Amino acid sequence: MKVLAILYQGGEAATNEPRLLGTVENKLGIQQWLESQGHEFIVSSSKEGPDSDFQKHIVDAEILITTPFHPGYLTRELMEKAKNLKICITAGVGSDHIDLDAAVDHNIQVLEVSGSNVVSVAEHVMMSVLLLVSEIARNAFDLEGKVVGTLGAGRIGYRVLQRLQPFNCKELLYYDYSPLPAAAAESVGARRVEDLKEFVSQCDLVTINCPLHEGTRGLINADLLKHFKKGAWIVNTARGAICDKDAIAAALASGQINGYAGDVWNVQPAPKDHIWRTMKNHLGGGNGMVPHYSGTTLDAQARYANGTKTILENYLQNRPQEPQNIIVGDGRYESKAYGQR
Amino acid sequence: MKVLAILYQGGEAATNEPRLLGTVENKLGIQQWLESQGHEFIVSSSKEGPDSDFQKHIVDAEILITTPFHPGYLTRELMEKAKNLKICITAGVGSDHIDLDAAVDHNIQVLEVSGSNVVSVAEHVMMSVLLLVSEIARNAFDLEGKVVGTLGAGRIGYRVLQRLQPFNCKELLYYDYSPLPAAAAESVGARRVEDLKEFVSQCDLVTINCPLHEGTRGLINADLLKHFKKGAWIVNTARGAICDKDAIAAALASGQINGYAGDVWNVQPAPKDHIWRTMKNHLGGGNGMVPHYSGTTLDAQARYANGTKTILENYLQNRPQEPQNIIVGDGRYESKAYGQR
C-alpha cells in the first residue's frame, strides 16, 4: 500500500528536536511502523505544480496525509488523477485544503485529528487578543471592560470564551449557527447575537473561530467591515480566507479597525508580497500576524501524530473510525462543520 | 505651593493623544486645576544629575509627583536638600524609586495610587506567559498541563492566578509571606509553597508579582536559579532589580531557563548596552523584554491621573488619605508591602 505525506521542511531544528513530529525529517514518527508492515511511505514538502512530489505520487497513492500548516491542496482535478486514493488524513484540524465536495463524489474519505489543536489555538487566540489590546503607549488598553465576541463557538471558540471569562470583559458575545447549550453559555456568561452585522457592531474585539467553507469564505469583507465598531480589533486563527485580505488591509489603514492578528493566511506559505505581512494602522502598529503555528506546538504535534496513527490503524485493520474525526465518510458528509451540500 | 512632577516625554504621540496623561505634554491633566488655585506646577522629564530639573526644583518643592515608568530616583542625599518636601505621590504603583527609610526619617509622606494598574499588569503577565510558552515551532508548547507559580500573591499576583485558572494548568502555586484566605486560594485552586527553593523547583513557569525592597532585591540570583526546573520560564513585570540581570542572562544562555519576559529593568530607561536587550537562549529566542508600560495603558493612565488628583485634593484640603494608598504616613510605614524596618 502506498502512503503519501506532505509535511513541512523542519531543517536543522527538526533534526535536533525529535518532538517536531510534523516535519519531513521526523515523518510523524510513523515511518518505521508503516514500513515494517510492508507499506511504501513517501514523505515530501514539495507540493506545488505538476513536477512536485505531491502531484507525482498522488496518482497511485491509497492514503494521503496532509497538514493545515503546509497544506497540499487537493483539487477536484487532482482527485480525478488519483485513481487509488481512498482516504485523506489531515494531521491536525481543518480540511479546507481538500475539495470536500469532490471527495464526496469520488467516494474518498476525509478524516482529521479532531481536538488535537483546540487548546493550542485557544491559547494563541488569547495571546493575540492581549497583544493587540495592549499595544504600546498611545494605543495600549486594558482588555477589562471591553466587549469581546467570537464568531464560532465550537470547540475552539468555547475554549476562548472560557479563558476570557476571568478578564472581566464588559460582555462576551458569540455568533454561531446553533446556540450553545444553556448551561455552557451561562458558565462563561456569553450572549448569542443572531444577526451577524449586529454582532460585529457590538464588539470591541472579534475573534474568528469557525471552519472555512463556502459559507464563510470572504465573510469578513469590505461590506461587513463597515458594520464593525470603529477601531475594533480582529483576531483570526481560523483560516485566512474567511477574511478578504485587501479589505482588511484597507480597513486597518483607514482606522476602521485598529488591529488584526492571527497565524492563518489565504495561501500558505504566504507569498513574499502578501499585504498582511506589512499592513499597518495609522500609528504604524496593529499587525499581529505570524506564520501558521498555533495548532502545532510540540504538545499539539504529539497529539496529532498519535491521532494520525490511530486513524491509520483503524483504516488498515478495517475498524470503525472515531465519529468526531470523520469529515467525509462513505460518499457523504459526516460533519456539520463544513457547510455540506 | 510648589508642585514638581517628573514625567516621561510623550512627544508627538502625546500631543495627538490627550489620553496619554502621564506625559510631560499632558501633565496628568491637572495643570489648569493646580494653577487656578495659585500653585506653581513644574513638569519635566529631566531627572539625572545635578543640573537636571529634578535636582534643581526638588530643593524647594513641597509636593513631588513621580511615576514608576520614568522614575525620579529620590535618594536620602536628595531628600536632605529638599527642605520643603512634605509629600511624594507616585502616579501609579511601586514607590521603590524613593528611599522609604529616609522618608520615614524626614517625616515625608509617600503615597501611591494603589490598584490603578493591577489589572493592566495582570493582563501583561498573561500576555508574556503565553508569548514565552508558545514561542514558535521547535520551542512552542501549550500552557495547559504546565505548573505555574506566582512569587507574590497580592493584588496583581492573585489576579494572575484568576486569569490562569481556565487554562487547565497542571498546578497553580504561590509563594508569599502570608497565606491567601482559604476561600480565595480555593477559588483559584492555588497551593502555597513555603520554601522558596522548593517553590521554584516545582514550577515550569515563575511569574514575579511582589514589590521591590531590601528583602526582594536580587532575590532571583545565580544561586536560586540553580534550583529552578531546567528550561523554566520567568515572567517579571514587578521590578527589574528583583532579578540579578547578569545571572538571568547567563541562565538563559546555558539553557537553565528557556525564556525571560517582562517590562521592568533595574534602571529605567535601560542603558543601550543593557544585556536584557539582547540576551537569548541557545535557539536564538526566549527574550520577551519590552519597555516599562504594563501599568500605563490608556485605561490605567486615566485611573492613576484621577488617583493622583484625589491624593492632592486630600492633601491640599487637609483631609485624610485612603489608607490603602499610604506607604509612609506621619513618620512611619503604613504598608506592610515594602519590608519596613
Side-chain angles (χ1 to χ4, degrees):
Chain A
M1 196 173 291
K2 181 166 177 174
V3 183
L4 170 62
I6 299 301
L7 303 174
Y8 70 94
Q9 201 86 42
E12 203 188 329
T15 315
N16 296 332
E17 177 51 85
R19 289 177 295 178
L20 275 175
L21 285 163
T23 57
V24 168
E25 291 78 6
N26 296 323
K27 301 178 172 56
L28 294 164
I30 55 174
Q31 180 177 32
Q32 217 185 343
W33 171 74
L34 273 176
E35 290 181 353
S36 72
Q37 297 174 68
H39 303 301
E40 186 185 2
F41 189 35
I42 309 284
V43 181
S44 174
S45 66
S46 150
K47 68 184 183 77
E48 303 298 337
D51 296 331
S52 64
D53 288 342
F54 180 37
Q55 297 209 13
K56 216 157 59 194
H57 290 285
I58 194 72
V59 295
D60 61 348
E62 177 166 337
I63 301 177
L64 172 68
I65 301 173
T66 56
T67 77
F69 312 107
H70 180 76
Y73 292 99
L74 189 62
T75 59
R76 181 179 288 271
E77 193 192 351
L78 277 179
M79 237 178 257
E80 273 155 18
K81 296 183 188 158
K83 297 295 181 201
N84 290 348
L85 190 62
K86 297 280 189 310
I87 178 169
C88 299
I89 305 175
T90 300
V93 176
S95 299
D96 48 272
H97 54 289
I98 291 167
D99 186 327
L100 297 173
D101 288 350
V104 169
D105 293 342
H106 288 80
N107 211 1
I108 294 169
Q109 294 180 59
V110 181
L111 285 102
E112 56 188 41
V113 188
S114 173
S116 64
N117 72 353
V118 292
V119 165
S120 316
V121 176
E123 292 187 3
H124 193 97
V125 171
M126 289 302 299
M127 178 180 74
S128 302
V129 166
L130 290 164
L131 265 171
L132 281 189
V133 171
S134 80
E135 199 165 348
I136 209 156
R138 61 187 156 167
N139 210 12
F141 297 88
D142 294 343
L143 179 54
E144 179 165 298
K146 305 298 181 288
V147 178
V148 180
T150 176
L151 205 162
R155 296 205 289 182
I156 292 175
Y158 188 70
R159 279 172 174 77
V160 171
L161 290 171
Q162 288 179 309
R163 282 156 181 73
L164 282 166
Q165 227 248 324
F167 281 89
N168 296 320
C169 291
K170 189 170 174 191
E171 200 172 12
L172 297 181
L173 307 176
Y174 73 99
Y175 174 85
D176 203 323
Y177 63 92
S178 73
L180 284 167
E186 200 182 314
S187 103
V188 293
R191 177 169 67 83
R192 184 178 180 214
V193 181
E194 292 192 46
D195 181 76
L196 182 59
K197 287 178 181 169
E198 206 182 299
F199 168 74
V200 300
S201 75
Q202 293 180 26
C203 294
D204 293 305
L205 188 146
V206 173
T207 160
I208 301 168
N209 299 291
C210 63
L212 172 65
H213 52 68
E214 289 318 308
T216 60
R217 186 178 298 276
L219 189 63
I220 315 290
N221 55 23
D223 179 50
L224 189 66
L225 280 162
K226 287 183 202 144
H227 296 273
F228 276 66
K229 217 185 238 191
K230 177 142 176 99
W233 298 280
I234 299 176
V235 172
N236 176 13
T237 55
R239 284 297 179 261
I242 295 169
C243 296
D244 178 316
K245 80 176 161 53
D246 297 314
I248 291 286
L252 190 60
S254 77
Q256 176 57 15
I257 63 171
N258 193 4
Y260 183 92
D263 68 335
V264 288
W265 306 71
N266 60 327
V267 180
Q268 295 180 183
K272 283 211 163 48
D273 62 349
H274 197 292
I275 194 164
W276 286 6
R277 288 181 184 263
T278 51
M279 63 182 179
K280 290 193 175 70
N281 65 21
H282 73 286
L283 298 172
N287 183 329
M289 289 303 300
V290 294
H292 190 180
Y293 80 101
S294 71
T296 185
T297 60
L298 296 186
D299 296 300
Q301 298 208 15
R303 288 191 292 266
Y304 71 64
N306 276 338
T308 299
K309 191 177 172 196
T310 303
I311 293 171
L312 277 168
E313 283 173 332
N314 291 339
Y315 178 77
L316 294 170
Q317 294 166 29
N318 212 13
R319 286 194 306 227
Q321 299 287 354
E322 291 174 46
Q324 76 271 19
N325 289 344
I326 312 175
I327 306 304
V328 176
D330 291 329
R332 63 187 184 113
Y333 278 96
E334 298 289 345
S335 162
K336 273 174 66 179
Y338 285 92
Q340 68 275 36
R341 292 180 293 192
Chain B
M1 197 173 292
K2 180 166 178 174
V3 183
L4 170 61
I6 301 301
L7 303 174
Y8 70 94
Q9 202 87 40
E12 204 188 326
T15 315
N16 296 333
E17 177 51 87
R19 289 177 296 178
L20 276 175
L21 286 163
T23 58
V24 168
E25 291 78 5
N26 297 324
K27 301 180 173 58
L28 294 162
I30 55 175
Q31 180 177 32
Q32 215 184 345
W33 171 73
L34 274 176
E35 290 181 352
S36 73
Q37 297 173 68
H39 303 301
E40 187 185 2
F41 188 36
I42 310 285
V43 181
S44 175
S45 65
S46 148
K47 69 185 183 78
E48 303 297 338
D51 295 333
S52 64
D53 288 342
F54 180 38
Q55 297 209 13
K56 217 157 58 192
H57 289 286
I58 193 72
V59 296
D60 62 347
E62 179 168 337
I63 301 177
L64 172 67
I65 302 172
T66 56
T67 76
F69 312 107
H70 180 76
Y73 293 99
L74 188 63
T75 60
R76 182 179 287 270
E77 193 192 351
L78 276 179
M79 238 179 254
E80 274 157 17
K81 294 183 187 158
K83 299 296 182 199
N84 290 349
L85 190 62
K86 296 283 190 308
I87 179 169
C88 299
I89 305 174
T90 300
V93 176
S95 300
D96 50 274
H97 55 289
I98 291 167
D99 185 328
L100 297 173
D101 287 350
V104 169
D105 294 341
H106 287 81
N107 213 0
I108 294 169
Q109 294 180 60
V110 180
L111 285 102
E112 57 188 41
V113 188
S114 174
S116 63
N117 72 353
V118 293
V119 165
S120 316
V121 177
E123 292 186 2
H124 193 98
V125 171
M126 289 302 299
M127 176 179 76
S128 302
V129 166
L130 290 164
L131 264 171
L132 281 189
V133 171
S134 81
E135 201 167 344
I136 209 156
R138 61 186 158 168
N139 210 13
F141 297 88
D142 293 344
L143 180 54
E144 179 165 296
K146 305 298 181 289
V147 178
V148 180
T150 174
L151 206 162
R155 295 204 287 185
I156 293 174
Y158 188 70
R159 279 173 174 75
V160 171
L161 290 172
Q162 288 179 309
R163 283 157 180 73
L164 282 166
Q165 228 248 323
F167 281 88
N168 295 321
C169 292
K170 188 169 176 193
E171 201 173 10
L172 296 180
L173 306 177
Y174 72 99
Y175 174 85
D176 204 322
Y177 64 92
S178 72
L180 285 168
E186 200 182 317
S187 101
V188 293
R191 176 169 67 82
R192 183 180 179 213
V193 181
E194 291 192 46
D195 180 77
L196 183 58
K197 288 177 181 169
E198 207 182 297
F199 168 75
V200 299
S201 75
Q202 294 180 27
C203 294
D204 294 305
L205 187 147
V206 172
T207 158
I208 302 169
N209 299 292
C210 63
L212 172 65
H213 52 67
E214 287 320 308
T216 60
R217 185 178 299 276
L219 189 64
I220 314 290
N221 55 25
D223 179 51
L224 189 66
L225 281 162
K226 288 184 202 144
H227 296 272
F228 275 67
K229 217 186 237 191
K230 177 140 176 101
W233 298 281
I234 298 176
V235 172
N236 177 13
T237 54
R239 284 296 177 264
I242 295 169
C243 295
D244 177 317
K245 81 177 162 49
D246 296 314
I248 291 287
L252 191 61
S254 77
Q256 177 57 15
I257 63 171
N258 193 5
Y260 182 93
D263 67 335
V264 288
W265 307 72
N266 61 325
V267 181
Q268 293 180 186
K272 282 210 164 47
D273 63 350
H274 198 293
I275 194 164
W276 286 5
R277 289 181 184 263
T278 52
M279 63 182 179
K280 289 192 175 73
N281 65 20
H282 72 287
L283 298 173
N287 184 330
M289 290 303 300
V290 295
H292 191 180
Y293 80 100
S294 70
T296 186
T297 60
L298 296 185
D299 296 300
Q301 297 207 17
R303 288 191 292 266
Y304 71 64
N306 276 337
T308 300
K309 190 176 174 196
T310 304
I311 294 172
L312 277 168
E313 283 173 331
N314 291 339
Y315 178 78
L316 294 170
Q317 295 167 27
N318 212 14
R319 286 194 306 228
Q321 299 286 354
E322 291 173 46
Q324 76 272 18
N325 288 344
I326 312 176
I327 306 304
V328 175
D330 290 328
R332 62 186 186 114
Y333 280 95
E334 298 289 344
S335 162
K336 274 174 68 180
Y338 285 93
Q340 68 277 35
R341 291 180 295 192

